[in-house]
Amino acid sequence: MENSPLFKSGHTACAGCGQAIAARMVIEAAGANTIIANNTGCLEVFTTKYPETAWGVPWIHSLFENSAAVASGIEAALKYLGKKENINVIAQGGDGSTADIGLQALSGMLERGHDILYVCYDNEAYMNTGVQRSGLTPFDTNTTTSPSGSQSSGNIRPKKPMPEIALAHGIPYVATASAGLPQDIQRKVKKAISIKGPKYIQIHVPCPLGWRHETDQMLPVAKLAVDCGLYPLFEYENGVLTGQKKIVPKPVEEYLKAQGRFKHLLNNPEEIKKVQDIADNNIMKYNLKAQA
Amino acid sequence: MKEFLEGSHAIAEVIKSCKPGVISAYPITPQTHIVEDLAQMVSDGQLKSQFVNVESEHSAASVVLGGSATGVRVYTATSSQGLFYMQEVVFNIAGMRLPVVMTCANRAISAPINIWNDQQDSISLRDAGWFQVYAENNQEAVDFHLIGYRLAEDKRVMLPVMVCMDGFILTHGMEAVDMPEQEKVDKFLPRYNPLYKLDPAQPVSMGLLADPDYYMETRFAIQETMKESLGYLSDISREFNSVFGRDYKDLLVEEYQLKDAEKVIVAMGSVCGTIKEAVDEQRAKGKKVGLLRIITYRPFPYARVCEALKNAAKVAVLDKAVSLGAYAPIAVEVKAAFYGKKQGPKMISSFVAGLGGRDITLETVHEIFRRLSTKEVNSDFVDLKPELLKEEYGE
């Protein structure tokens, strides 16, 4: 890929990092007239180790959990200066800083109606600190704080329904996306910034280190998550489901066996059935099945 | 023009005259009247600020951080638990060298929960990299906000300022205050024009990761700025006096009846009004007593304190906060100021009073002067109730 003036190469992301691809897609779609507030996390660390920065747009990092509030202040200042019409404001963070520690700040931002796009890069655990379980870690995932063992098959709860939580704030646009479908990310970001008000996009981003797959498997693994129904891609506009990525559902086992974090499930049909139920429920709920 | 105003309203009026672009706050007693008044001013179109109602103090501080980084003047106010809840952001604002101005309506810290005044909240954040100035009365509280913005936004400084005013005593107290006229404010406080801001025309990254090769110098730089700022305060004070006709001297300390004083109380904030009255009473009886009022607690004016107290025989430091398990916060500084000095008080005793809103009366002050006659004491609590300390609560 060519070097991007808005998200420059030379950053220190791991090989095969889904978040790096997704973040680049987001800022390239949003364009140069954008200000970003970034939570603490992998993306912050690998793009801005002093004295270098990968960002070609104004970018600020304050703390782990407050990018939504910092972005609210940026947006308010731009309004005061009469510059909001021409400038996009993006707040972004990982799944932990979005769904756990930063949920309150995000809820405040959504509820107040700021004209901000919030992007959650969901790699399904606290990867920056060494793969600890977050509120967006899937059911039965083996992480360092939800390890599988004789008494446990990993994370005991399904993912917190963040898109639905965002939707419940009555905001005009909520979407999910995947690092496996980069053009789809860009289309959704462009649509989001064309809409005034708070927007929420959650992007599934594989982490080879935490998910334990080969670094060249990032795209196939991301696509498998979508194709088996475990990561449904959809769009809600003004509270109404307006689009979903149709799939010919593959069994979840194909997705699970591609990653070390689910290895403990492979000889346990009972647990695989529970994961399949989650996928089947998504397929029904979001009407994902393609017509034959 | 002199007006008879509630302290909080006076603060809201002076903030209005500073024209902040972004105001954000979360309600906590006794800060509420300030931000309620500002919200009304915005609602009435008297103030063209963006008023952002947030879901927590953590976000209030984060919103003003974001606003300040975007290049506009900002304001927030809080108290007690609210200040503690925003502590993480408070440190962050200083580290990012953002000139935020905040009012702390000083209030006790839980547990037990207590909404009344002491100074434990702001004093506990003394290491955050913020200037801390303590007002004795509402005139000072008003003026210190103007001085605060001027100081914070000085290109040589670029650090946040916390104006501390005793909760209820000042925030809810009615006093005659000479309110600064808008033309004078505009003259004293130029438009905020930052060196760096978040602007797509000139993209910068802020808040980068600094590894062991770089981190220490950032802390050193703040430490140096703090030390240098002790002098800038005098310059700003002189300019303030030339515009508004009120002289706060070096803005570091106030000396009251110190010249020949043998016994001196060191204190901070509104209690100094009471101490001045007690000093006057004792002076009338021929007793050589005085007061050294600390105005600027961070940076701490060690040299000025030494200079002011060098001839005092006995010093009583009155803290409205404690450092549990150690010497009281202001007492530590005063004792440290004299360490290794040839000339200085023979005795520096430390007293704790007025916690959780317990009144510090004239009699309290006289009692401190009395206790200063005997042996040196440390963190000696004044006005305790013996009946509440009985063994039914113990053994």
Side-chain angles (χ1 to χ4, degrees):
Chain A
M1 282 203 278
E2 278 172 44
N3 201 0
S4 158
L6 304 183
F7 188 81
K8 301 181 187 85
S9 63
H11 57 70
T12 59
C14 305
C17 172
Q19 190 178 23
I21 303 282
R24 175 173 168 173
M25 292 302 119
V26 169
I27 191 55
E28 285 185 351
N33 274 335
T34 302
I35 299 176
I36 293 180
N38 212 123
N39 280 333
T40 306
C42 285
L43 179 59
E44 169 260 327
V45 170
F46 74 66
T47 58
T48 59
K49 184 168 171 292
Y50 185 85
E52 293 172 332
T53 179
W55 298 97
V57 293
W59 180 96
I60 185 171
H61 158 252
S62 166
L63 295 163
F64 195 7
E65 70 280 47
N66 69 349
S67 73
V70 170
S72 300
I74 293 168
E75 186 247 24
L78 291 174
K79 269 193 195 159
Y80 173 75
L81 295 168
K83 292 182 176 172
K84 181 63 202 78
E85 292 309 309
N86 314 315
I87 300 176
N88 310 308
V89 180
I90 293 178
Q92 59 185 19
D95 46 287
S97 71
T98 299
D100 294 344
I101 198 169
L103 181 57
Q104 175 178 313
L106 172 59
S107 174
M109 182 207 108
L110 298 177
E111 167 260 323
R112 289 189 298 269
H114 293 282
D115 187 19
I116 298 171
L117 166 61
Y118 190 97
V119 180
C120 169
Y121 299 96
D122 180 13
N123 57 22
E124 305 191 318
Y126 291 91
M127 299 313 186
N128 195 39
T129 43
V131 201
Q132 293 83 20
R133 169 265 172 226
S134 83
L136 292 192
T137 298
F139 176 69
D140 268 2
T141 308
N142 187 356
T143 74
T144 56
T145 52
S146 64
S148 61
S150 64
Q151 304 300 307
S152 169
S153 30
N155 189 41
I156 59 169
R157 294 283 303 156
K159 288 169 78 75
K160 190 188 282 193
M162 262 317 295
E164 289 181 79
I165 292 169
L167 201 58
H169 289 75
I171 63 174
Y173 187 75
V174 173
T176 54
S178 167
L181 292 96
Q183 287 83 2
D184 183 59
I185 296 176
Q186 298 213 311
R187 183 182 65 78
K188 283 169 178 166
V189 168
K190 281 183 178 153
K191 184 187 272 187
I193 61 175
S194 76
I195 298 168
K196 227 175 151 64
K199 287 83 62 174
Y200 179 83
I201 298 180
Q202 182 171 307
I203 309 174
H204 200 220
V205 290
C207 169
L209 212 68
W211 295 11
R212 286 182 274 145
H213 59 73
E214 291 302 318
T215 54
D216 62 0
Q217 292 302 297
M218 193 282 283
L219 285 170
V221 167
K223 282 180 184 161
L224 268 175
V226 175
D227 288 341
C228 72
L230 281 176
Y231 218 91
L233 302 191
F234 52 75
E235 287 176 283
Y236 279 88
E237 289 171 66
N238 298 313
V240 181
L241 182 65
T242 54
Q244 65 279 83
K245 166 100 174 101
K246 295 285 186 179
I247 57 173
V248 181
K250 293 179 174 168
V252 295
E253 201 170 348
E254 273 190 50
Y255 174 65
L256 300 178
K257 74 182 183 196
Q259 303 164 70
R261 63 174 174 160
F262 299 118
K263 196 174 155 199
H264 60 289
L265 301 180
L266 297 182
N267 295 316
N268 192 338
E270 217 175 288
E271 290 303 311
I272 291 176
K273 169 75 173 50
K274 289 182 194 166
V275 178
Q276 186 64 57
D277 286 348
I278 293 171
D280 291 347
N281 186 48
N282 285 338
I283 291 163
M284 287 241 295
K285 183 173 176 184
Y286 299 107
N287 189 23
L288 300 178
K289 208 176 253 180
Q291 298 300 315
Chain B
M1 194 179 76
K2 282 220 171 185
E3 294 176 60
F4 190 62
L5 296 173
E6 187 204 48
S8 296
H9 186 62
I11 299 307
E13 287 290 343
V14 77
I15 294 303
K16 182 177 85 174
S17 74
C18 296
K19 302 173 188 166
V22 175
I23 300 169
S24 186
Y26 184 82
I28 182 167
T29 303
Q31 150 265 34
T32 41
H33 289 187
I34 300 172
V35 293
E36 286 168 4
D37 283 352
L38 285 166
Q40 190 66 53
M41 289 168 185
V42 172
S43 177
D44 292 340
Q46 298 170 22
L47 175 57
K48 302 282 178 215
S49 304
Q50 293 290 316
F51 190 99
V52 184
N53 277 304
V54 279
E55 80 299 332
S56 72
E57 286 90 357
H58 197 284
S59 284
S62 300
V63 164
V64 296
L65 184 156
S68 184
T70 311
V72 308
R73 187 171 287 155
V74 297
Y75 175 75
T76 187
T78 191
S79 289
S80 182
Q81 306 306 127
L83 185 65
F84 278 23
Y85 193 35
M86 63 166 70
Q87 171 180 349
E88 188 191 23
V89 194
V90 167
F91 275 70
N92 201 247
I93 286 168
M96 296 182 80
R97 308 299 295 253
L98 296 170
V100 173
V101 171
M102 156 157 69
T103 310
C104 177
N106 285 112
R107 164 182 152 180
I109 288 298
S110 184
I113 189 168
N114 174 299
I115 61 166
W116 293 273
N117 167 249
D118 63 35
Q119 295 167 343
Q120 189 72 54
D121 48 2
S122 52
I123 282 180
S124 298
L125 265 65
R126 64 191 182 178
D127 301 331
W130 286 58
F131 288 85
Q132 287 196 5
V133 291
Y134 289 76
E136 179 185 331
N137 52 48
N138 284 334
Q139 184 69 61
E140 284 193 355
V142 164
D143 293 347
F144 288 177
H145 283 86
L146 293 172
I147 289 165
Y149 278 114
R150 181 62 193 274
L151 173 68
E153 294 170 4
D154 188 318
K155 297 282 192 297
R156 300 168 299 177
V157 178
M158 294 304 285
L159 283 172
V161 173
M162 194 184 299
V163 179
C164 304
M165 57 192 295
D166 289 313
F168 290 115
I169 299 168
L170 296 184
T171 56
H172 290 53
M174 301 286 290
E175 282 183 36
V177 178
D178 195 349
M179 291 305 292
E181 292 89 354
Q182 188 65 56
E183 317 84 74
K184 289 183 179 174
V185 173
D186 293 341
K187 192 175 161 201
F188 177 71
L189 190 61
R191 272 175 67 96
Y192 174 47
N193 183 26
L195 288 168
Y196 305 101
K197 59 182 175 184
L198 297 169
D199 179 4
Q202 282 177 299
V204 292
S205 295
M206 296 183 180
L208 278 66
L209 170 72
D211 70 10
D213 285 338
Y214 295 103
Y215 181 85
M216 260 182 88
E217 284 72 16
T218 68
R219 312 309 285 174
F220 177 74
I222 296 176
Q223 177 79 346
E224 287 299 294
T225 302
M226 278 273 175
K227 282 197 283 190
E228 288 163 8
S229 299
L230 289 166
Y232 305 155
L233 277 160
S234 297
D235 303 339
I236 292 171
S237 176
R238 208 172 306 122
E239 274 190 58
F240 184 87
N241 190 20
S242 74
V243 176
F244 296 101
R246 284 187 291 280
D247 187 3
Y248 291 110
K249 306 277 173 27
D250 58 16
L251 264 165
L252 303 176
V253 299
E254 184 200 2
E255 300 180 19
Y256 189 79
Q257 298 283 16
L258 275 196
K259 217 160 217 173
D260 59 345
E262 288 160 3
K263 287 189 192 177
V264 177
I265 293 181
V266 179
M268 202 158 75
S270 65
V271 70
C272 293
T274 309
I275 298 171
K276 284 175 182 173
E277 204 176 324
V279 165
D280 290 347
E281 285 183 10
Q282 297 216 17
R283 284 271 170 185
K285 293 177 192 159
K287 301 240 173 86
K288 290 182 176 173
V289 297
L291 162 72
L292 178 68
R293 178 164 70 95
I294 306 293
I295 298 172
T296 301
Y297 176 64
R298 282 294 180 273
F300 195 81
Y302 294 102
R304 279 297 285 117
V305 166
C306 284
E307 174 63 25
L309 296 177
K310 66 175 189 256
N311 296 320
K314 293 177 178 179
V315 169
V317 185
L318 169 55
D319 270 278
K320 289 173 73 172
V322 277
S323 178
L324 295 167
Y327 290 166
I330 307 173
V332 167
E333 308 295 1
V334 175
K335 283 170 182 272
F338 281 103
Y339 182 78
K341 294 276 187 302
K342 288 199 179 79
Q343 199 183 357
K346 287 180 191 63
M347 178 191 286
I348 301 175
S349 276
S350 148
F351 299 90
V352 173
L355 300 187
R358 184 158 299 176
D359 274 347
I360 298 178
T361 63
L362 282 170
E363 183 43 37
T364 312
V365 180
H366 291 313
E367 173 64 16
I368 289 170
F369 277 124
R370 274 196 294 278
R371 291 195 197 177
L372 191 56
S373 303
T374 54
K375 69 175 198 330
E376 186 167 300
V377 291
N378 276 305
S379 299
D380 192 11
F381 280 58
V382 187
D383 290 341
L384 285 176
K385 295 182 177 173
E387 67 273 23
L388 293 182
L389 298 168
K390 277 183 189 157
E391 62 189 66
E392 63 193 275
Y393 297 100
E395 285 150 50

